[in-house]
Coordinates of all heavy atoms in Angstrom, one line a residue:
M309 N -56.3 92.6 168.8 CA -55.2 93.4 169.2 C -54.1 93.4 168.1 O -54.0 92.5 167.3 CB -54.6 92.7 170.5 CG -53.3 93.3 171.0 SD -52.9 92.7 172.6 CE -51.7 93.9 173.0
Y310 N -53.4 94.5 168.1 CA -52.3 94.6 167.1 C -51.0 93.9 167.6 O -50.8 93.8 168.8 CB -51.9 96.0 166.8 CG -52.9 96.7 166.0 CD1 -53.7 97.8 166.5 CD2 -53.0 96.4 164.6 CE1 -54.6 98.4 165.7 CE2 -53.9 97.1 163.8 CZ -54.7 98.1 164.3 OH -55.6 98.8 163.5
Y311 N -50.3 93.3 166.7 CA -49.0 92.7 166.9 C -48.0 93.2 165.9 O -48.3 93.4 164.8 CB -49.1 91.2 166.8 CG -50.0 90.6 167.9 CD1 -51.3 90.5 167.7 CD2 -49.5 90.2 169.1 CE1 -52.2 90.1 168.7 CE2 -50.3 89.8 170.1 CZ -51.7 89.7 169.9 OH -52.5 89.2 170.9
A312 N -46.7 93.5 166.4 CA -45.7 93.9 165.6 C -44.8 92.7 165.2 O -44.4 92.0 166.1 CB -44.8 95.0 166.3
I313 N -44.6 92.6 164.0 CA -43.7 91.5 163.5 C -42.5 92.2 162.9 O -42.6 93.0 162.0 CB -44.4 90.7 162.4 CG1 -45.7 90.1 162.9 CG2 -43.5 89.6 161.8 CD1 -46.6 89.4 161.8
V314 N -41.4 92.0 163.7 CA -40.1 92.7 163.3 C -39.2 91.6 162.8 O -38.8 90.7 163.6 CB -39.5 93.4 164.5 CG1 -38.2 94.1 164.1 CG2 -40.5 94.4 165.1
A315 N -38.8 91.6 161.6 CA -37.9 90.6 161.0 C -36.6 91.2 160.5 O -36.5 92.3 160.1 CB -38.7 90.0 159.7
T316 N -35.6 90.4 160.7 CA -34.2 90.7 160.3 C -33.8 89.9 159.2 O -33.9 88.6 159.3 CB -33.3 90.6 161.4 OG1 -33.7 91.4 162.6 CG2 -31.8 91.0 161.1
D317 N -33.4 90.4 158.0 CA -32.9 89.6 156.9 C -31.6 89.0 157.2 O -30.8 89.5 157.9 CB -32.7 90.6 155.7 CG -34.0 90.9 155.0 OD1 -35.1 90.9 155.6 OD2 -34.0 91.2 153.8
R318 N -31.4 87.9 156.5 CA -30.1 87.3 156.5 C -29.2 88.1 155.5 O -29.6 88.9 154.8 CB -30.2 85.8 156.0 CG -30.4 85.8 154.4 CD -30.4 84.3 153.9 NE -30.2 84.4 152.5 CZ -29.7 83.4 151.8 NH1 -29.4 82.3 152.4 NH2 -29.5 83.5 150.5
V319 N -27.9 87.9 155.6 CA -26.9 88.6 154.7 C -27.2 88.2 153.3 O -27.5 87.0 153.0 CB -25.5 88.2 155.2 CG1 -24.5 88.8 154.2 CG2 -25.2 88.7 156.6
D320 N -27.1 89.1 152.4 CA -27.3 88.9 151.0 C -28.7 88.3 150.6 O -28.8 87.3 149.9 CB -26.2 88.0 150.4 CG -24.9 88.6 150.5 OD1 -24.8 89.8 150.3 OD2 -23.9 87.9 150.8
S321 N -29.7 88.9 151.2 CA -31.1 88.4 151.0 C -31.8 88.9 149.8 O -32.9 88.5 149.5 CB -31.9 88.7 152.3 OG -32.1 90.1 152.4
L322 N -31.3 89.9 149.1 CA -32.0 90.6 148.1 C -32.5 89.7 147.0 O -33.7 89.9 146.6 CB -31.2 91.8 147.5 CG -31.9 92.7 146.5 CD1 -33.2 93.3 147.1 CD2 -30.9 93.7 145.9
A323 N -31.8 88.8 146.5 CA -32.2 88.0 145.4 C -33.4 87.1 145.8 O -34.4 87.0 145.1 CB -31.1 87.1 144.9
L324 N -33.3 86.5 147.0 CA -34.4 85.8 147.5 C -35.7 86.6 147.8 O -36.8 86.2 147.6 CB -34.0 85.1 148.9 CG -33.2 83.8 148.7 CD1 -32.8 83.3 150.1 CD2 -34.0 82.7 148.0
R325 N -35.4 87.8 148.3 CA -36.5 88.8 148.6 C -37.3 89.0 147.3 O -38.5 89.0 147.3 CB -35.9 90.1 149.1 CG -36.4 90.5 150.4 CD -35.8 91.8 150.8 NE -36.0 92.1 152.2 CZ -37.0 92.5 152.7 NH1 -38.1 92.8 152.0 NH2 -37.1 92.6 154.0
L326 N -36.6 89.4 146.2 CA -37.3 89.6 145.0 C -38.0 88.4 144.4 O -39.0 88.6 143.9 CB -36.2 90.2 144.0 CG -35.6 91.5 144.4 CD1 -34.4 91.9 143.3 CD2 -36.6 92.6 144.5
Q327 N -37.4 87.3 144.5 CA -38.0 86.1 144.0 C -39.3 85.7 144.7 O -40.3 85.3 144.1 CB -37.0 84.9 144.2 CG -37.5 83.6 143.7 CD -36.6 82.5 143.9 OE1 -35.4 82.6 144.3 NE2 -37.0 81.2 143.6
H328 N -39.4 86.0 146.0 CA -40.6 85.5 146.8 C -41.5 86.7 147.2 O -42.5 86.5 147.9 CB -40.1 84.7 148.0 CG -39.4 83.5 147.7 ND1 -40.0 82.4 147.1 CD2 -38.0 83.2 147.7 CE1 -39.1 81.5 146.8 NE2 -37.9 82.0 147.1
R329 N -41.2 87.9 146.7 CA -41.9 89.1 147.0 C -43.4 89.0 146.6 O -44.3 89.4 147.4 CB -41.3 90.3 146.4 CG -41.9 91.6 146.8 CD -41.0 92.8 146.4 NE -41.5 94.0 146.9 CZ -42.2 94.9 146.3 NH1 -42.5 94.7 145.0 NH2 -42.7 96.0 146.9
P330 N -43.7 88.5 145.4 CA -45.2 88.5 145.1 C -46.0 87.7 146.1 O -47.1 88.2 146.5 CB -45.1 87.9 143.7 CG -43.8 88.2 143.1 CD -42.9 88.1 144.3
E331 N -45.5 86.5 146.5 CA -46.3 85.7 147.4 C -46.4 86.4 148.8 O -47.4 86.4 149.5 CB -45.7 84.4 147.6 CG -46.4 83.4 148.5 CD -45.8 82.0 148.6 OE1 -44.8 81.8 148.0 OE2 -46.4 81.2 149.3
H332 N -45.3 87.0 149.2 CA -45.2 87.8 150.5 C -46.2 89.0 150.4 O -47.0 89.1 151.4 CB -43.8 88.3 150.7 CG -43.6 89.2 151.9 ND1 -43.6 88.8 153.2 CD2 -43.4 90.6 151.9 CE1 -43.4 89.9 153.9 NE2 -43.3 91.0 153.2
L333 N -46.2 89.7 149.4 CA -47.2 90.8 149.2 C -48.6 90.4 149.2 O -49.5 91.1 149.7 CB -46.8 91.7 148.0 CG -45.5 92.5 148.1 CD1 -45.3 93.2 146.8 CD2 -45.5 93.4 149.3
A334 N -48.9 89.3 148.5 CA -50.2 88.7 148.5 C -50.8 88.5 149.9 O -52.0 88.7 150.1 CB -50.3 87.5 147.6
R335 N -49.9 88.0 150.8 CA -50.4 87.7 152.2 C -50.7 89.0 152.9 O -51.7 89.1 153.6 CB -49.3 86.9 152.9 CG -49.1 85.5 152.3 CD -48.1 84.7 153.1 NE -48.8 84.1 154.3 CZ -48.4 84.4 155.5 NH1 -47.4 85.1 155.8 NH2 -49.0 83.8 156.5
L336 N -49.9 90.0 152.6 CA -50.1 91.3 153.2 C -51.4 91.9 152.7 O -52.1 92.6 153.4 CB -48.9 92.3 153.0 CG -47.6 91.8 153.7 CD1 -46.4 92.7 153.3 CD2 -47.8 91.9 155.2
E337 N -51.6 91.8 151.4 CA -52.8 92.3 150.8 C -54.0 91.7 151.3 O -55.0 92.4 151.5 CB -52.7 92.1 149.2 CG -53.9 92.7 148.5 CD -54.0 94.2 148.6 OE1 -53.0 94.9 148.8 OE2 -55.1 94.8 148.5
A338 N -54.0 90.4 151.6 CA -55.1 89.7 152.2 C -55.4 90.3 153.6 O -56.6 90.5 154.0 CB -54.8 88.2 152.3
L339 N -54.4 90.6 154.4 CA -54.6 91.2 155.7 C -55.2 92.6 155.5 O -56.1 93.0 156.2 CB -53.3 91.4 156.4 CG -52.7 90.2 157.1 CD1 -51.3 90.5 157.7 CD2 -53.6 89.6 158.1
R340 N -54.7 93.4 154.5 CA -55.2 94.7 154.2 C -56.7 94.6 153.9 O -57.5 95.4 154.4 CB -54.4 95.4 153.2 CG -54.8 96.9 153.0 CD -54.2 97.5 151.8 NE -54.7 97.0 150.6 CZ -55.9 97.4 150.0 NH1 -56.7 98.2 150.7 NH2 -56.3 96.9 148.9
E341 N -57.0 93.7 153.0 CA -58.4 93.6 152.5 C -59.4 93.2 153.6 O -60.5 93.6 153.6 CB -58.5 92.6 151.4 CG -57.9 93.1 150.1 CD -57.9 92.1 149.0 OE1 -58.3 90.9 149.2 OE2 -57.4 92.4 147.9
A342 N -58.8 92.5 154.6 CA -59.6 92.1 155.8 C -59.7 93.2 156.8 O -60.3 93.0 157.9 CB -59.0 90.8 156.4
G343 N -59.1 94.3 156.6 CA -59.1 95.4 157.5 C -58.2 95.2 158.7 O -58.4 95.9 159.7
R344 N -57.2 94.3 158.6 CA -56.3 94.0 159.7 C -54.9 94.5 159.7 O -54.2 94.5 160.7 CB -56.3 92.4 159.9 CG -57.6 91.9 160.1 CD -57.6 90.3 160.1 NE -56.5 89.7 160.7 CZ -56.0 88.5 160.5 NH1 -56.6 87.8 159.5 NH2 -55.0 88.0 161.1
L345 N -54.5 95.1 158.5 CA -53.2 95.6 158.4 C -53.1 97.1 158.8 O -53.8 97.9 158.2 CB -52.7 95.4 157.0 CG -51.2 95.7 156.7 CD1 -50.3 94.9 157.5 CD2 -50.9 95.7 155.2
L346 N -52.2 97.4 159.7 CA -52.0 98.8 160.1 C -50.9 99.4 159.2 O -51.1 100.5 158.7 CB -51.6 98.9 161.6 CG -51.4 100.3 162.2 CD1 -52.7 101.2 162.0 CD2 -51.0 100.2 163.6
L347 N -49.8 98.7 159.1 CA -48.7 99.1 158.2 C -47.8 98.0 158.0 O -47.7 97.0 158.7 CB -47.9 100.3 158.9 CG -47.2 100.1 160.2 CD1 -45.8 99.6 159.9 CD2 -47.2 101.3 161.0
A348 N -47.0 98.1 156.9 CA -46.0 97.1 156.6 C -45.0 97.7 155.6 O -45.3 98.5 154.8 CB -46.7 95.9 155.9
G349 N -43.7 97.3 155.8 CA -42.7 97.8 154.9 C -41.3 97.3 155.3 O -41.1 96.8 156.4
P350 N -40.4 97.4 154.4 CA -39.0 96.9 154.6 C -38.2 98.0 155.2 O -38.5 99.2 155.1 CB -38.5 96.5 153.2 CG -39.2 97.5 152.3 CD -40.5 97.7 153.0
F351 N -37.0 97.6 155.8 CA -36.0 98.6 156.3 C -34.9 98.6 155.2 O -34.2 97.6 155.1 CB -35.4 98.1 157.6 CG -36.4 98.0 158.7 CD1 -36.6 96.7 159.3 CD2 -37.0 99.1 159.3 CE1 -37.5 96.6 160.4 CE2 -37.9 99.0 160.3 CZ -38.2 97.7 160.9
P352 N -34.7 99.7 154.5 CA -33.6 99.8 153.6 C -32.3 99.6 154.3 O -32.1 100.1 155.4 CB -33.8 101.2 153.0 CG -35.2 101.6 153.2 CD -35.6 100.9 154.5
A353 N -31.4 98.9 153.7 CA -30.1 98.7 154.2 C -29.2 99.9 154.3 O -28.2 100.0 155.0 CB -29.3 97.5 153.5
I354 N -29.6 100.9 153.5 CA -28.8 102.2 153.5 C -29.9 103.3 153.6 O -31.1 103.1 153.5 CB -28.0 102.4 152.2 CG1 -28.9 102.4 151.0 CG2 -26.9 101.4 152.2 CD1 -28.2 102.7 149.7
D355 N -29.4 104.5 153.8 CA -30.3 105.7 154.0 C -30.9 106.2 152.7 O -30.5 107.2 152.2 CB -29.5 106.8 154.8 CG -30.4 107.9 155.2 OD1 -31.7 107.8 155.2 OD2 -29.9 109.0 155.6
S356 N -31.8 105.4 152.2 CA -32.4 105.7 150.9 C -33.7 104.9 150.8 O -33.8 103.7 151.2 CB -31.4 105.3 149.8 OG -32.1 105.4 148.5
E357 N -34.7 105.5 150.2 CA -36.0 104.8 149.9 C -35.8 103.8 148.9 O -36.6 102.8 148.8 CB -37.1 105.8 149.6 CG -37.6 106.6 150.7 CD -38.9 107.4 150.4 OE1 -39.6 106.9 149.5 OE2 -39.1 108.4 151.0
S358 N -34.9 103.9 148.0 CA -34.6 103.0 146.9 C -33.1 102.5 147.0 O -32.2 103.1 146.4 CB -34.8 103.6 145.5 OG -36.2 104.0 145.4
P359 N -32.9 101.5 147.9 CA -31.5 101.2 148.2 C -30.8 100.4 147.1 O -29.6 100.1 147.2 CB -31.6 100.4 149.4 CG -33.0 99.7 149.3 CD -33.8 100.7 148.6
G360 N -31.4 100.1 146.0 CA -30.8 99.3 144.9 C -30.2 98.0 145.4 O -30.8 97.3 146.1
D361 N -28.9 97.8 145.0 CA -28.2 96.5 145.3 C -27.9 96.4 146.8 O -27.6 95.3 147.2 CB -26.9 96.5 144.5 CG -27.2 96.2 143.0 OD1 -28.3 95.8 142.7 OD2 -26.3 96.5 142.2
A362 N -28.0 97.5 147.5 CA -27.8 97.4 149.0 C -28.9 96.6 149.6 O -28.7 95.9 150.7 CB -27.7 98.8 149.6
G363 N -30.1 96.6 149.1 CA -31.2 95.8 149.5 C -31.8 96.3 150.8 O -31.8 97.5 151.1
F364 N -32.2 95.3 151.6 CA -33.0 95.6 152.8 C -32.4 94.8 154.0 O -31.9 93.8 153.8 CB -34.5 95.3 152.6 CG -35.1 96.1 151.5 CD1 -35.1 95.7 150.2 CD2 -35.6 97.4 151.8 CE1 -35.6 96.4 149.2 CE2 -36.1 98.2 150.7 CZ -36.1 97.7 149.4
S365 N -32.6 95.4 155.2 CA -32.1 94.7 156.4 C -33.2 94.0 157.2 O -32.9 93.3 158.2 CB -31.4 95.7 157.3 OG -32.3 96.7 157.7
G366 N -34.4 94.1 156.8 CA -35.5 93.5 157.5 C -36.9 94.1 157.1 O -36.9 94.9 156.2
S367 N -37.8 93.8 157.9 CA -39.2 94.3 157.7 C -40.0 94.5 159.0 O -39.6 93.9 160.0 CB -40.0 93.3 156.9 OG -39.4 93.0 155.7
L368 N -41.0 95.4 158.9 CA -41.9 95.6 160.0 C -43.3 95.5 159.5 O -43.7 96.0 158.4 CB -41.7 97.1 160.5 CG -42.8 97.5 161.6 CD1 -42.7 96.7 162.8 CD2 -42.6 99.0 161.9
I369 N -44.1 94.6 160.2 CA -45.5 94.5 159.9 C -46.3 94.7 161.2 O -45.9 94.1 162.2 CB -45.8 93.0 159.3 CG1 -45.0 92.8 158.0 CG2 -47.3 92.8 159.1 CD1 -44.9 91.3 157.6
V370 N -47.3 95.5 161.1 CA -48.1 95.7 162.3 C -49.6 95.3 161.8 O -50.1 96.0 160.9 CB -48.1 97.1 162.9 CG1 -49.0 97.2 164.1 CG2 -46.6 97.4 163.3
A371 N -50.1 94.3 162.4 CA -51.4 93.9 162.0 C -52.2 93.3 163.2 O -51.6 93.0 164.2 CB -51.3 92.8 160.9
S372 N -53.5 93.2 163.0 CA -54.4 92.7 164.0 C -54.5 91.2 163.9 O -54.8 90.7 162.8 CB -55.8 93.4 163.9 OG -56.7 92.8 164.8
F373 N -54.4 90.5 165.1 CA -54.6 89.1 165.1 C -55.4 88.8 166.4 O -55.4 89.6 167.3 CB -53.3 88.3 165.2 CG -52.4 88.5 163.9 CD1 -51.5 89.5 163.7 CD2 -52.7 87.6 162.9 CE1 -50.8 89.6 162.6 CE2 -51.9 87.7 161.7 CZ -51.0 88.7 161.5
D374 N -56.0 87.6 166.5 CA -56.8 87.2 167.6 C -55.9 86.9 168.9 O -56.4 87.0 170.0 CB -57.6 85.9 167.3 CG -58.7 86.2 166.4 OD1 -59.1 87.4 166.2 OD2 -59.1 85.3 165.6
S375 N -54.7 86.6 168.7 CA -53.8 86.2 169.8 C -52.3 86.3 169.4 O -52.0 86.3 168.2 CB -54.1 84.8 170.3 OG -53.7 83.9 169.3
L376 N -51.4 86.3 170.3 CA -50.0 86.3 170.0 C -49.7 85.0 169.2 O -48.9 85.1 168.3 CB -49.2 86.3 171.3 CG -47.7 86.2 171.2 CD1 -47.1 87.3 170.3 CD2 -47.0 86.2 172.6
Q377 N -50.2 83.9 169.6 CA -50.0 82.6 168.9 C -50.4 82.7 167.5 O -49.7 82.3 166.6 CB -50.7 81.5 169.6 CG -50.3 80.1 169.0 CD -48.8 79.8 169.1 OE1 -48.3 79.8 170.2 NE2 -48.2 79.6 168.0
A378 N -51.6 83.4 167.2 CA -52.1 83.5 165.8 C -51.1 84.4 165.0 O -50.8 84.1 163.8 CB -53.5 84.1 165.8
A379 N -50.6 85.4 165.7 CA -49.6 86.3 165.0 C -48.3 85.6 164.7 O -47.8 85.7 163.6 CB -49.3 87.5 165.8
Q380 N -47.9 84.8 165.6 CA -46.7 84.0 165.5 C -46.8 83.0 164.4 O -45.9 82.8 163.5 CB -46.2 83.3 166.8 CG -45.7 84.3 167.8 CD -45.6 83.6 169.2 OE1 -46.3 82.7 169.6 NE2 -44.7 84.2 170.0
D381 N -48.0 82.3 164.3 CA -48.3 81.3 163.3 C -48.3 81.9 161.9 O -47.8 81.4 160.9 CB -49.6 80.6 163.6 CG -49.5 79.7 164.8 OD1 -48.4 79.4 165.3 OD2 -50.6 79.3 165.3
W382 N -49.0 83.1 161.8 CA -49.0 83.8 160.5 C -47.6 84.2 160.0 O -47.3 84.0 158.9 CB -49.9 85.1 160.7 CG -50.1 85.8 159.3 CD1 -51.1 85.5 158.5 CD2 -49.3 86.7 158.7 NE1 -51.0 86.3 157.4 CE2 -49.8 87.1 157.5 CE3 -48.1 87.4 159.1 CZ2 -49.3 88.0 156.6 CZ3 -47.5 88.3 158.3 CH2 -48.1 88.6 157.0
A383 N -46.8 84.7 161.0 CA -45.5 85.1 160.6 C -44.6 83.9 160.2 O -43.8 83.9 159.2 CB -44.7 85.8 161.8
A384 N -44.8 82.8 160.9 CA -44.0 81.6 160.6 C -44.3 81.0 159.2 O -43.5 80.4 158.6 CB -44.2 80.5 161.6
A385 N -45.5 81.3 158.7 CA -46.0 80.8 157.4 C -45.6 81.7 156.2 O -45.8 81.3 155.1 CB -47.5 80.5 157.4
D386 N -45.0 82.8 156.5 CA -44.6 83.7 155.5 C -43.5 83.1 154.6 O -42.6 82.5 155.0 CB -44.1 85.0 156.1 CG -44.0 86.1 155.0 OD1 -45.0 86.8 154.8 OD2 -43.0 86.3 154.4
P387 N -43.6 83.4 153.2 CA -42.6 82.8 152.3 C -41.2 83.4 152.6 O -40.2 82.7 152.3 CB -43.1 83.3 151.0 CG -44.1 84.3 151.2 CD -44.7 84.1 152.5
F388 N -41.1 84.6 153.2 CA -39.8 85.1 153.5 C -39.2 84.3 154.6 O -37.9 84.2 154.7 CB -39.8 86.6 153.9 CG -39.9 87.5 152.7 CD1 -40.1 87.1 151.4 CD2 -39.9 88.9 152.9 CE1 -40.2 88.0 150.3 CE2 -40.0 89.8 151.8 CZ -40.1 89.3 150.5
V389 N -40.0 83.7 155.5 CA -39.4 82.8 156.5 C -39.1 81.5 155.9 O -38.0 81.0 156.1 CB -40.5 82.7 157.7 CG1 -40.0 81.6 158.7 CG2 -40.7 84.0 158.4
R390 N -40.1 80.9 155.2 CA -39.9 79.6 154.6 C -38.7 79.5 153.7 O -38.0 78.6 153.7 CB -41.2 79.3 153.9 CG -41.2 77.9 153.2 CD -42.4 77.6 152.4 NE -42.5 78.5 151.2 CZ -43.4 79.3 150.9 NH1 -44.5 79.4 151.6 NH2 -43.4 80.0 149.8
E391 N -38.4 80.6 152.9 CA -37.4 80.6 151.9 C -36.1 81.2 152.4 O -35.1 81.3 151.6 CB -37.9 81.3 150.6 CG -39.1 80.8 150.0 CD -39.0 79.3 149.6 OE1 -37.8 78.8 149.3 OE2 -40.0 78.6 149.5
G392 N -36.0 81.5 153.7 CA -34.7 82.0 154.3 C -34.3 83.4 154.0 O -33.2 83.8 154.2
V393 N -35.3 84.3 153.6 CA -35.0 85.7 153.5 C -34.7 86.3 154.9 O -33.7 87.0 155.2 CB -36.1 86.5 152.9 CG1 -35.9 88.0 152.9 CG2 -36.3 86.0 151.4
Y394 N -35.6 85.9 155.9 CA -35.4 86.3 157.2 C -34.6 85.4 158.1 O -34.8 84.2 158.1 CB -36.8 86.4 157.9 CG -37.7 87.5 157.4 CD1 -39.1 87.3 157.5 CD2 -37.3 88.6 156.8 CE1 -40.0 88.2 157.0 CE2 -38.2 89.6 156.3 CZ -39.5 89.4 156.4 OH -40.4 90.3 156.0
A395 N -33.6 86.0 158.8 CA -32.8 85.2 159.7 C -33.4 85.1 161.1 O -33.2 84.1 161.8 CB -31.4 85.8 159.8
K396 N -34.2 86.2 161.4 CA -34.8 86.2 162.7 C -36.2 86.9 162.6 O -36.3 87.9 161.9 CB -33.9 87.0 163.7 CG -34.5 87.1 165.1 CD -33.6 87.9 166.0 CE -34.2 88.1 167.3 NZ -33.5 89.1 168.2
V397 N -37.2 86.5 163.4 CA -38.5 87.1 163.4 C -38.9 87.2 164.8 O -38.9 86.2 165.6 CB -39.5 86.3 162.6 CG1 -40.9 87.0 162.7 CG2 -39.1 86.2 161.1
D398 N -39.3 88.4 165.2 CA -39.8 88.7 166.6 C -41.2 89.2 166.5 O -41.5 90.1 165.7 CB -38.8 89.7 167.3 CG -39.2 90.0 168.7 OD1 -39.7 89.0 169.4 OD2 -39.1 91.1 169.2
V399 N -42.1 88.6 167.3 CA -43.5 89.0 167.3 C -43.9 89.4 168.6 O -43.7 88.7 169.6 CB -44.4 87.8 166.8 CG1 -45.9 88.3 166.8 CG2 -44.0 87.3 165.5
R400 N -44.4 90.7 168.7 CA -44.7 91.3 170.0 C -46.1 92.0 170.0 O -46.4 92.5 168.9 CB -43.7 92.4 170.4 CG -42.3 91.9 170.5 CD -41.5 93.1 170.9 NE -40.2 93.0 170.2 CZ -39.3 94.0 170.3 NH1 -39.6 95.1 171.0 NH2 -38.2 93.9 169.6
P401 N -46.8 92.0 171.1 CA -48.0 92.8 171.2 C -47.7 94.2 170.9 O -46.6 94.7 171.3 CB -48.5 92.5 172.6 CG -47.9 91.3 173.0 CD -46.6 91.2 172.3
F402 N -48.6 94.9 170.3 CA -48.4 96.4 169.9 C -49.6 97.2 170.3 O -50.7 96.8 169.9 CB -48.1 96.5 168.4 CG -47.9 97.9 168.0 CD1 -46.6 98.5 168.1 CD2 -48.9 98.6 167.4 CE1 -46.4 99.8 167.6 CE2 -48.7 99.9 166.9 CZ -47.5 100.5 167.1
K403 N -49.4 98.2 171.1 CA -50.5 99.1 171.5 C -50.4 100.4 170.6 O -49.5 101.2 170.8 CB -50.4 99.4 172.9 CG -51.6 100.3 173.3 CD -51.6 100.7 174.8 CE -52.7 101.6 175.1 NZ -52.8 102.0 176.5
R404 N -51.4 100.6 169.8 CA -51.4 101.8 169.0 C -51.9 102.9 169.8 O -52.9 102.9 170.5 CB -52.4 101.6 167.8 CG -52.5 102.8 166.9 CD -53.4 102.5 165.8 NE -53.5 103.7 164.9 CZ -54.2 103.7 163.8 NH1 -54.9 102.7 163.4 NH2 -54.2 104.8 163.1
V405 N -51.1 104.0 169.8 CA -51.5 105.2 170.6 C -51.8 106.4 169.6 O -52.8 107.1 169.7 CB -50.3 105.6 171.6 CG1 -50.7 106.9 172.3 CG2 -50.1 104.5 172.6
L406 N -50.9 106.7 168.6 CA -51.1 107.7 167.7 C -50.8 107.2 166.3 O -50.0 106.3 166.1 CB -50.1 108.9 167.9 CG -50.4 109.6 169.3 CD1 -49.2 110.6 169.5 CD2 -51.7 110.4 169.2
P407 N -51.3 107.7 165.2 CA -52.5 108.6 165.2 C -53.7 107.8 165.6 O -53.8 106.6 165.4 CB -52.5 109.1 163.8 CG -51.8 108.1 163.0 CD -50.9 107.4 163.9

């Protein structure tokens, strides 16, 4: 089943985001290679694909896991959680309808 991981950044998270991004992306790439990642990306803090110094306000990851607990455990182990980029993380079951 798919699960949506919706994370909210802490204030002034950009420097930490950039520092820990390679490890964060490696985990997402592992999900993709396993055929489990539906989509992933950040929420720009301003109305721009390249927000520059404004940074990002959070992230959305939708991926397949065996259970809600497995999705929560995966999210909790993310470097953005461990290093304090995210202030809040919500994990919910997600039903894909389209496309």
Side-chain angles (χ1 to χ4, degrees):
M309 176 169 193
Y310 283 113
Y311 294 87
I313 301 168
V314 183
T316 304
D317 280 27
R318 73 175 200 159
V319 175
D320 296 323
S321 64
L322 185 57
L324 278 175
R325 243 184 193 279
L326 295 174
Q327 181 181 353
H328 300 288
R329 187 171 188 258
E331 186 181 357
H332 172 75
L333 290 179
R335 296 180 82 238
L336 292 172
E337 184 62 28
L339 284 178
R340 188 188 70 75
E341 289 175 358
R344 296 172 45 204
L345 184 64
L346 182 61
L347 65 90
F351 299 117
I354 61 173
D355 189 12
S356 173
E357 285 191 31
S358 299
D361 291 341
F364 300 91
S365 63
S367 300
L368 171 64
I369 300 164
V370 180
S372 175
F373 294 92
D374 291 335
S375 67
L376 177 59
Q377 186 63 57
Q380 290 169 332
D381 291 346
W382 186 91
D386 193 88
F388 281 5
V389 172
R390 183 184 67 236
E391 301 299 335
V393 173
Y394 294 151
K396 179 183 176 191
V397 177
D398 184 32
V399 181
R400 300 181 219 175
F402 178 83
K403 181 179 176 181
R404 181 180 180 176
V405 175
L406 295 171

